[in-house]
Amino acid sequence: MPGAADHLHFDLTTLPQAARYKLVTGIVVPRPIAWVSTLDAAGHVNLAPYSFFNVMGSDPPVVAFAPGDRSDGTPKDTARNIPPGGEFTVNLVSRELAEAMNATATDFPAHLGEPQQLGIPLEPGVSVRTPRVQGSPAALECREVQTVVIGATRIILGEVIGVSVRADAVLDAGKHYLDTAALDLIGRMGGRGGYATTRDAFTIDRVTYEQWQARTAAPDAE
Ligand SMILES: Cc1cc2nc3c(=O)[nH]c(=O)nc-3n(C[C@H](O)[C@H](O)[C@H](O)COP(=O)(O)O)c2cc1C
């Protein structure tokens, strides 16, 4: 196997899909979880978790998530429910909601919406028609702006047009300061069923070039 002595190198272009999945999902961690609520044409609410997910910018705010196809090659309900310009809500997942979130990854038939089957209370959307999960500490209301397909990878890009945050996590509504720790969000780790909390957080101050120069010139000054 090529590579430096202390690393193993894997050529993903020659490996089967299952191996590629294990490698990339074992390395890119923790991944936030988009618990996506959508509406089908008949008005049934669908809810499912997606950890190929993140926010990609803020001007405009854009989120991306990637629903793969089922093993029979058909799109998952979430992807089917988001046509061009379609609405969806990304509910963020707290530790308290982990088990309920996991239960919604069960492949219920489309007409039996997960929230109804599992008794997950919903609240109406504000900027979109799709409802949010009542117990979720924060929800992003989105409108699809583009869907990028690369092979069997489908990436849905949505503009975030509204945000609902549980009141206790809003420190200053006028200044838009949030207490992110209060959200107690979880992330997806590698391996089967692995998760992480966001409780073990730390801060590092950013350093300007002038500060870096000052420190380098006088390393013992601090
Ligand atoms: C934590 C977690 C993360 C997941 N992330 C993804 C993902 O990024 N892409 C995907 O296609 N499926 C993912 N799944 C599996 C889907 O949630 C599952 O296939 C679900 O049944 C899809 O539901 P739907 O057909 O209602 O959209 C994930 C499951 C869990 C539990």
Side-chain angles (χ1 to χ4, degrees), residues 21-218:
Y21 175 86
K22 279 187 259 181
L23 288 166
V24 297
T25 60
I27 290 170
V28 184
V29 294
R31 294 185 304 284
I33 301 167
W35 200 13
V36 181
S37 40
T38 53
L39 288 170
D40 73 7
H44 301 117
V45 181
N46 192 84
L47 182 63
Y50 289 90
S51 71
F52 286 138
F53 160 66
N54 220 307
V55 61
M56 295 294 147
S58 60
D59 187 22
V62 170
V63 291
F65 77 101
D69 285 343
R70 296 181 217 277
S71 46
D72 65 2
T74 58
K76 296 187 180 182
D77 294 337
T78 302
R80 260 218 310 267
N81 291 350
I82 307 178
E87 295 174 341
F88 60 97
T89 298
V90 172
N91 303 275
L92 280 298
V93 180
S94 59
R95 175 65 190 89
E96 188 182 26
L97 293 174
E99 284 75 17
M101 173 280 296
N102 187 52
T104 63
T106 305
D107 199 8
F108 285 105
H111 66 285
L112 301 177
E114 288 84 4
Q116 199 191 339
Q117 293 303 304
L118 297 163
I120 298 173
L122 303 170
E123 287 287 334
V126 179
S127 304
V128 295
R129 285 183 318 119
T130 44
R132 68 176 176 83
V133 172
Q134 190 184 68
S136 167
L140 313 173
E141 297 185 325
C142 305
R143 185 175 298 130
E144 192 267 5
V145 284
Q146 202 173 323
T147 296
V148 179
V149 178
I150 304 166
T153 295
R154 175 196 294 103
I155 305 164
I156 296 177
L157 299 165
E159 178 174 349
V160 185
I161 55 177
V163 166
S164 288
V165 186
R166 207 177 55 215
D168 66 281
V170 181
L171 296 175
D172 184 327
K175 291 186 176 154
H176 311 107
Y177 287 150
L178 299 182
D179 178 2
T180 302
L183 303 175
D184 197 22
L185 300 180
I186 59 165
R188 183 80 169 90
M189 299 295 286
R192 262 181 200 278
Y195 293 91
T197 67
T198 47
R199 293 177 186 178
D200 184 20
F202 60 95
T203 57
I204 305 179
D205 289 335
R206 290 283 285 268
V207 179
T208 65
Y209 182 56
E210 287 70 27
Q211 288 168 330
W212 180 82
Q213 280 178 310
R215 284 181 195 182
T216 314

